[in-house]
Amino acid sequence: MTRVAAIDCGTNSVRLLVADAERKEDGSISLKDLTRQMRIVRLGQGVDKTGRLDPAAIDRTIDAIVEYERMISRLGATATRFVATSASRDAENRDDFVAAVREVLNIEPEVVEGTEEASLSFTGAVSGLGADATAPMLVVDIGGGSTELVLGDSEVRQAISIDMGAVRVTEKFFAHCSPEAGIPLEDQERAIAWIDEQLDAAEKVVDIDRVRTLIGVAGTITTLTAQGLGLTAYQPELIHGARLSLEETEAAIRFMVDQPIAVKAALGFMPEGRQDVIAGGALIWSRIVTRVLEKAATRGTVISTIITSEHDILDGIAMSLA
């Protein structure tokens, strides 16, 4: 048994998992959570436009990491891994951020490439799903700055990280939209055309024609799942392993795209800081779900439900420490 601490620092949020990790006789690793935390810090705010991390965004993120360091020390984790993803990869001044993290945690932070991010996401996502997932499985991780598509069975077979996430889509297409209304149709159409272009390119790397099980992870998809399940508060035990039909998925997506920000912010399961970018993430998920299910139907395979996993890159990071 090893007590580990994993930190996932993305474009929109920074998250912590402290868990007891145990390697079983069959080689698999189980995690017993001691705490899971999330702070929405919007580290990647404006990176697409400026190419740099904003000093205020760095300060917000470091404040959260200082808080996490206290939790790690209090719980007595013996191994810690800090992984930064899309926003940190893209920023000219990422070394300044890395140095600040190093000073707080006294470990070497990692700014991982997209393929490593995808592999960690897959490992975490499929843990605990058991027989619910029939290979080949496509794990989709929609973050703030990037989206990972990972095809695999007992291991990763193909993977790609796309510079397309909820924050990027929002800043690129919806920054001028009124917060008091849903996203105008013409802006949706512009965003969808761009998303489809990114997915066309991704298909040259990941063969989604082979998919038999579609698994979604991370905040955009778990929030959409909470809406699809009709929850009034965030209940991870109900969200993990949930299966939604295409109709339930699309209804949740339409709600997040069409409703004003204030309505979404008032939802009991909506984390503060996600309400203004969830529409962008929802459109990404809509285009992926539609594409995967249509291709499956063309080859005579029926994918009747989409699985949501509460386990993702954060779990993958923790498992890598075992």
Side-chain angles (χ1 to χ4, degrees), residues 128-151:
L129 289 180
D132 281 345
T134 303
M137 301 167 279
L138 181 69
V139 171
V140 180
D141 183 338
I142 300 174
S146 67
T147 293
E148 283 66 54
L149 304 179
V150 196
L151 185 71

Side-chain angles (χ1 to χ4, degrees), residues 31-280:
L31 297 175
K32 181 180 179 182
D33 293 8
L34 299 175
T35 187
R36 283 182 187 258
Q37 301 286 330
M38 179 184 70
R39 305 290 182 268
I40 293 184
V41 293
R42 202 66 61 85
L43 177 63
Q45 188 169 5
V47 167
D48 260 358
K49 184 180 293 186
T50 67
R52 298 178 63 82
L53 298 173
D54 184 89
I58 292 177
D59 288 344
R60 290 194 300 269
T61 307
I62 294 300
D63 286 345
I65 293 167
V66 168
E67 183 184 2
Y68 288 170
E69 192 278 331
R70 292 174 184 148
M71 295 180 192
I72 292 167
S73 297
R74 186 173 68 250
L75 291 169
T78 57
T80 300
R81 186 179 182 189
F82 178 99
V83 170
T85 54
S86 178
S88 302
R89 281 198 298 267
D90 300 337
E92 295 172 3
N93 60 336
R94 74 180 193 178
D95 289 346
D96 297 338
F97 174 60
V98 167
V101 175
R102 185 188 301 117
E103 184 174 347
V104 173
L105 295 176
N106 199 31
I107 61 169
E108 190 60 35
E110 301 174 54
V111 180
V112 299
E113 295 302 319
T115 50
E116 171 73 357
E117 181 180 359
S119 179
L120 290 168
S121 292
F122 183 86
T123 299
V126 301
S127 63
L129 289 180
D132 281 345
T134 303
M137 301 167 279
L138 181 69
V139 171
V140 180
D141 183 338
I142 300 174
S146 67
T147 293
E148 283 66 54
L149 304 179
V150 196
L151 185 71
D153 36 55
S154 59
E155 59 185 271
V156 174
R157 301 299 178 183
Q158 298 172 336
I160 189 170
S161 180
I162 315 164
D163 286 337
M164 170 183 73
V167 175
R168 285 189 197 268
V169 169
T170 301
E171 291 184 348
K172 193 176 185 69
F173 297 103
F174 306 150
H176 64 284
C177 295
S178 169
E180 299 176 357
I183 305 299
L185 183 58
E186 58 269 26
D187 293 311
Q188 293 181 42
E189 291 173 345
R190 289 172 54 241
I192 286 169
W194 182 79
I195 291 166
D196 284 345
E197 287 178 5
Q198 312 315 305
L199 294 176
D200 288 343
E203 277 200 68
K204 297 176 182 177
V205 178
V206 176
D207 183 9
I208 67 172
D209 279 333
R210 296 168 54 195
V211 177
R212 295 187 65 190
T213 301
L214 178 58
I215 303 168
V217 303
T220 287
I221 296 169
T222 56
T223 303
L224 287 167
T225 302
Q227 173 67 22
L229 292 173
L231 302 183
T232 57
Y234 198 85
Q235 295 177 268
E237 69 279 6
L238 297 181
I239 292 170
H240 182 64
R243 289 175 171 268
L244 296 184
S245 67
L246 176 60
E247 293 74 18
E248 290 167 329
T249 299
E250 283 294 345
I253 289 166
R254 290 315 325 161
F255 181 91
M256 295 302 177
V257 173
D258 294 339
Q259 291 298 317
I261 289 174
V263 171
K264 292 180 281 191
L267 296 169
F269 53 77
M270 181 68 68
E272 184 178 355
R274 180 161 289 132
Q275 66 271 12
D276 59 333
V277 299
I278 187 72

Side-chain angles (χ1 to χ4, degrees), residues 274-316:
R274 180 161 289 132
Q275 66 271 12
D276 59 333
V277 299
I278 187 72
L283 284 179
I284 294 172
W285 188 224
S286 175
R287 301 311 296 164
I288 293 171
V289 168
T290 298
R291 184 175 292 231
V292 169
L293 268 59
E294 285 180 350
K295 286 183 176 289
T298 298
R299 68 172 189 270
T301 300
V302 176
I303 300 177
S304 59
T305 57
I306 302 107
I307 300 175
T308 300
S309 176
E310 271 285 330
H311 300 169
D312 54 26
I313 186 173
L314 191 60
D315 300 78

